[in-house]
Structure formats: C-alpha cells, structure tokens
Amino acid sequence: SEMSRNYSELTEFILLGFRTAPGLQILLFLVILLIYIVIVVGNISMIIVIKVDSRLHMPMYFFLRNLSYLDLCYPTVIAPKILANFLSNEKKISYSGCIAQFFFFALFVTTECFLLAVMAFDRISANCSPLLYPMHMSQKVCVRLVTGSYICGVINSVVHTGFTFSLRFCEENRLDHFFCDVPALIEISCVDTFVNEIVLFVLSAFIVITTTMAILISYAYILSTVLKIPSTQGRSKTFSTCGSHIAAVSLFYGTVFFMYAQPGAIASPQQNKIIAVFYTLVIPMLNPLIYSLRNRDVKDAVKRIL
C-alpha cells in the first residue's frame, strides 16, 4: 500500500541530462542548438525541393521526402526540451509529458526503420525491373507502403509505451538521460523489470533484424544486376543513387542496434547518452547532406530553384 501511495504521487520526472562542468553546459547548449537548426533547415529544404521540382516527383523522392519529414519530427520531439533544460535549474518533465515524448519518439524512429527497408525495395524495383517499375511502384503502392510503415511504428510505440509506463517508479523520479527513453525508465523502476527488458530486446531485435535482412537481400539482388551492366557510366550512376541509402542505413541501424537490440543495453547510462545523441540529433542532420551531396538529381533541382 505504501508503494501504491508513492507511485500515485509521482507526477514528474527530473532529466539529469549531461553531467558536465557548468562551463561546458553553455558549449553543449550552443552545439545542440546549431545541430537542431541544421536539422530543421536541411530537412525542410529537402521537403520543399522535392515538392517544388516536378522532375523529382518519382517514388524514390516520395520516400525521401517522407524520410526528411521523419528526420525533422523525432529530433523535434526531444531537442526543444533538451535546450530548455540547459537554461533551467529544475530540468523537469511532467509524467504525461514524458509519456507523450516517449510515444512519439518511438513512433517516428520505428517508422523510419521500416521506411528505410521500403526504400531498399524501391531501389530493387528500379534497378532489377526498370520496365515494370512504374507499375510496381505506382502512387497507390507508395502511399500504402508509407502508411504500412507508420502502422508498424504505431504498434511498436503503443506496446513499448504500455509496458514501460505500467512500471512503478515509487519515489525515484530522476532519469539519468536527456529524454524519456526505455533504458533510463527501466533503470529507476522499483519493481522487477525482467519482462520489460525481454520485450525491449525481442521487439527491437525483431524490427532491426527483419528490416536489415530485407535491405541486405535487396542490395544483393541490386549488386548482381549492376555487375551485368556493360557500361561503366550505368554502373556508377546506380552505385551513386544506392550509396546514399546504404550510408543512411548503416548509420541509423548501427546506432539503434547498439542502443536497444543487444543484451545488457541498459547497463551503461553514459554510453547510452552518447549513442542517443548520435542517432537522435547527428543522423537527422547528416541525412539531408548525404542525399543532397551524393545525388545529382537533387543537386540539379536545388540549382534550378536557386
């Protein structure tokens, strides 16, 4: 009964964030602010360029526009709160705010996992069956694939949110993190979290492994097709368009796997913070640069608009 009383009184969490010297707090604030500005400008610019230029109204760029939207959304779920906490002594987030932040963050990140797999399917259709590509990847099919990615994201987010916030936290409300995430919440729970850790590992591993296998199989087919292309120019163009996607996939899946899909991922809060900074802020900043600098069509579209 005492535990239930303490649990019912918990109305907020304290985000401990980055434990550094006061002088470094200002530097971190400026760095994260700069990264977030680049994220917003880069991804909005990518969305506008693809929307405005009619030559980019193709399935590949439809998916890329949705990727930019996700890369804009999930940093926005956490970055403003991180910046606000740098300027505040309390560093609090309400219980309901923590639930909302976690739900939307999990939704957008999971959706991006599936969208990257969809983009690999798009590339295999374009390179292995170019004549049937318009039929395979019609507008209706593209919308359904993106919608399916969001549905998977919602399901995963609902399951994780339900399991995580069914835990009891008693009087401990200090999260050793800069946003509400599963490992940090499990760490401060005052009840047995074995089931939650198993759910976290199984679901995360399932999502990462299945989508990664889909991507690897897709690129294996693409590679076998590309090697049959007689012209060097044709091969280089194919590798150029696929190279951007491979770079984005490697960065995103690598960090997500080390964060969630390995046993003992909850053991090191400091390591989790470093990895979390990379996939929550750095990758969404790099993706527009990767896709714009390595893609001639996007660069040409930017020049035409300017």
Side-chain angles (χ1 to χ4, degrees), residues 107 198 265:
L107 188 159
I198 292 297

Side-chain angles (χ1 to χ4, degrees), residues 116-126 136-137 141 145 214 218:
L116 289 170
V118 167
M119 292 173 73
F121 175 72
D122 170 67
R123 290 298 81 210
I124 190 176
S125 298
H136 286 166
M137 301 301 293
V141 171
L145 288 171
S218 298

Side-chain angles (χ1 to χ4, degrees), residues 13 98-99 101-103 105-107 110 156-165 167 169 175-177 179-189 193-201 203-204 259-261 265-267 272 276 279:
F13 293 100
C98 189
I99 294 174
Q101 186 186 64
F102 174 76
F103 175 83
F105 180 77
L107 188 159
T110 307
N156 182 62
S157 184
V158 167
V159 171
H160 273 312
T161 304
F163 270 92
T164 302
F165 288 93
L167 293 172
F169 301 103
L175 288 176
D176 193 8
H177 215 316
F179 73 103
C180 294
D181 200 12
V182 181
L185 288 163
I186 289 177
E187 188 70 23
I188 66 169
S189 176
T193 61
F194 177 76
V195 174
N196 295 75
E197 292 184 41
I198 292 297
V199 169
L200 171 65
F201 172 71
L203 273 180
S204 301
M259 187 71 186
Y260 301 109
I266 301 169
N272 285 352
Y279 84 87

Side-chain angles (χ1 to χ4, degrees), residues 249-261 274-276 278-280 283:
V249 166
S250 301
L251 288 171
F252 184 78
Y253 277 91
T255 52
V256 169
F257 179 82
F258 281 108
M259 187 71 186
Y260 301 109
I274 295 170
I275 297 172
F278 197 76
Y279 84 87
T280 57
I283 291 177

